[in-house]
Amino acid sequence: MSAGSPSADGRPDASGGPLAGLRVLDLSRLLPGPFASLVLADLGARVDKIEDPDGGDYLRAMPPLRGDTSTMFLALNRNKRSACLDLKKERGRAALLALVARCDVLLEQFRPGVLERLGLGHALLRRTTPRLVVCALTGYGQSGPLARSAGHDLNYLARAGVLGMHGPAGAPPQVPGFQLADIGGGLWCVAGILAALQRRATTGEGSLVDVSMLESSMAFAFSGFGQLFGGQVPPRGGGPLTGGLALYNTYATRDGRFVALAALEPKFWAAFCAGAGLEVDMGALVPGPHQDALRETLRALFVSRTRDEWEAFARAHDCCLEPVLEPHELRADPQLRARGAFFEMPSPWGPIEQLRTPLTDRDAPHTPPPAQGEHTDAILREAGLDDATIAAMRAERSAR
């Protein structure tokens, strides 16, 4: 798929993308929703961010900054346009409804009830535009006793039981080094939107996609829930894949770095033992008290060599052993370089680094993230608003 050449408004003409022609209004902020719309934009959808005239997307101001804009914002918002509307004002709401009439998908991340208070509830949006797919991404979903509660990624992981599977044993669960619920929620939005669009192609009717980050988190722990359903709940940090097996764990090396061993299958464990000079004991694949002694044996073994030496060992013995890379090492990693995981693009902020998603076309051109309200006039004109109306909206600050 190729995104073609830039269009008149500066965004690539994604005529070759699989989602070309799809129009998405993105009312979300920060990480979860913008990640979902990034995936859609990379696949060729026309994504228009609708921001508040004052603060805009809060992520814009979060450090580290490139000039006056967050590098995290710059990483999440390529290939999108930005319009600023004040949805608390009548003209702003009317403008949004005009935009909705021309779009396929509206993605929102407000707590349940916020859009209703603004006079833009899901029922109204779908009644005025029956073909519209509304995707509502929230922490706890549109229903249930916690529906309107505040939360963040760590809260959703905690209530989902996912954090409760996380070690180490005998200590509070470690805070993950990434936002599993946020990104998981964004990914389920993409899946839900595509499913709703497929159903619309058959029925002609849009629908509401209700995505909860709480439930999105649970989906990552199917193996753990499989054990729960079987009546076997290992202690926290003691499951086969959560720290209970010595051969599925991380270890320090002689140079103070780390490796990850995941020799779960007999052939990989046998290959590791043969290369390291250990006696092969297939009991290592079964949880139990004997794992403590094996863990100490492996700790002593791994600290005898450097991380690079163990990486060379892994390439020679094909035993599911990898170095634990630090974030600053990723750009130089030969596998990631071969896959083109990072790329650089020009922007008003100078050259900016970008991370490809697994679905980002390597050959497609990209436009840089938008300045706040950069495309307000163009987007409103496309919705049928004339210049006089747009000028009046700017004068009363219902648009910017």
Side-chain angles (χ1 to χ4, degrees), residues 33 86 96 102 129 143 238 243 270 292 342 344:
D86 187 344
L96 183 76
R102 292 173 49 86
T129 308
S143 58
D292 291 338
F342 298 94
E344 192 175 83

Side-chain angles (χ1 to χ4, degrees), residues 65-281:
L65 301 178
R66 182 74 177 268
D68 62 352
T69 303
S70 169
T71 57
M72 292 184 286
F73 179 90
L74 298 179
L76 278 165
N77 289 284
R78 62 176 176 261
N79 298 333
K80 303 177 189 179
R81 301 190 300 178
S82 169
C84 287
L85 296 177
D86 187 344
L87 301 182
K88 295 178 181 177
K89 295 182 177 178
E90 183 177 351
R91 279 196 173 113
R93 292 191 293 272
L96 183 76
L97 290 175
L99 293 172
V100 165
R102 292 173 49 86
C103 80
D104 300 286
V105 178
L106 183 140
L107 172 62
E108 64 99 353
Q109 196 178 305
F110 298 110
R111 283 198 239 178
V114 171
L115 283 180
E116 283 77 4
R117 290 197 297 273
L118 291 171
L120 295 167
H122 298 156
L124 173 66
L125 294 171
R126 295 194 53 233
R127 186 169 64 250
T128 57
T129 308
R131 296 181 73 255
L132 180 69
V133 171
V134 176
C135 183
L137 174 60
T138 58
Y140 300 102
Q142 296 294 304
S143 58
L146 295 180
R148 301 195 180 195
S149 297
H152 285 294
D153 190 275
L154 192 62
N155 303 125
Y156 311 138
L157 296 181
R159 183 162 284 274
V162 177
L163 198 63
M165 300 178 188
H166 199 59
Q174 290 291 306
V175 177
F178 44 83
Q179 286 66 55
L180 185 69
D182 288 352
I183 296 298
L187 290 174
W188 283 107
C189 284
V190 173
I193 287 169
L194 296 180
L197 290 171
Q198 177 63 27
R199 179 166 57 189
R200 188 184 74 176
T202 302
T203 66
E205 292 291 322
S207 57
L208 172 65
V209 179
D210 174 6
V211 177
S212 152
M213 285 180 270
L214 167 64
E215 293 149 51
S216 298
S217 307
M218 297 174 73
F220 285 100
F222 258 101
S223 60
F225 287 112
Q227 292 175 303
L228 173 66
F229 300 154
Q232 297 179 0
V233 183
R236 185 170 56 78
L241 303 182
T242 59
L245 295 179
L247 53 69
Y248 193 85
N249 220 313
T250 56
Y251 294 94
T253 58
R254 190 174 69 200
D255 51 350
R257 302 168 107 179
F258 305 93
V259 292
L261 177 65
L264 276 174
E265 298 170 59
K267 63 180 180 180
F268 296 127
W269 175 237
F272 175 82
C273 290
L278 297 178
E279 181 180 350
V280 179
D281 178 2

Side-chain angles (χ1 to χ4, degrees), residues 228-357:
L228 173 66
F229 300 154
Q232 297 179 0
V233 183
R236 185 170 56 78
L241 303 182
T242 59
L245 295 179
L247 53 69
Y248 193 85
N249 220 313
T250 56
Y251 294 94
T253 58
R254 190 174 69 200
D255 51 350
R257 302 168 107 179
F258 305 93
V259 292
L261 177 65
L264 276 174
E265 298 170 59
K267 63 180 180 180
F268 296 127
W269 175 237
F272 175 82
C273 290
L278 297 178
E279 181 180 350
V280 179
D281 178 2
M282 289 304 168
L285 283 76
V286 181
H290 61 287
Q291 292 290 335
D292 291 338
L294 178 56
R295 192 174 292 108
E296 291 306 315
T297 297
L298 292 177
R299 282 174 180 159
L301 175 65
F302 278 112
V303 82
S304 69
R305 306 186 193 187
T306 67
R307 192 189 72 174
D308 290 347
E309 289 171 336
W310 281 115
E311 184 173 12
F313 173 96
R315 300 290 81 82
H317 296 282
D318 190 25
C319 56
C320 299
L321 175 67
E322 290 289 348
V324 176
L325 297 183
E326 301 294 334
H328 69 270
E329 298 178 281
L330 298 179
R331 297 181 189 88
D333 180 67
Q335 176 64 25
L336 295 176
R337 287 175 65 88
R339 296 287 294 172
F342 298 94
F343 68 100
E344 192 175 83
M345 62 186 296
S347 80
W349 297 270
I352 55 175
E353 276 192 294
Q354 299 283 287
L355 175 66
R356 296 187 196 278
T357 76

Side-chain angles (χ1 to χ4, degrees), residues 35-55:
F35 178 77
S37 62
L38 171 68
V39 175
L40 297 173
D42 275 4
L43 290 173
R46 167 62 61 84
V47 175
D48 290 335
K49 285 180 67 69
I50 305 302
E51 303 186 61
D52 181 81
D54 295 323

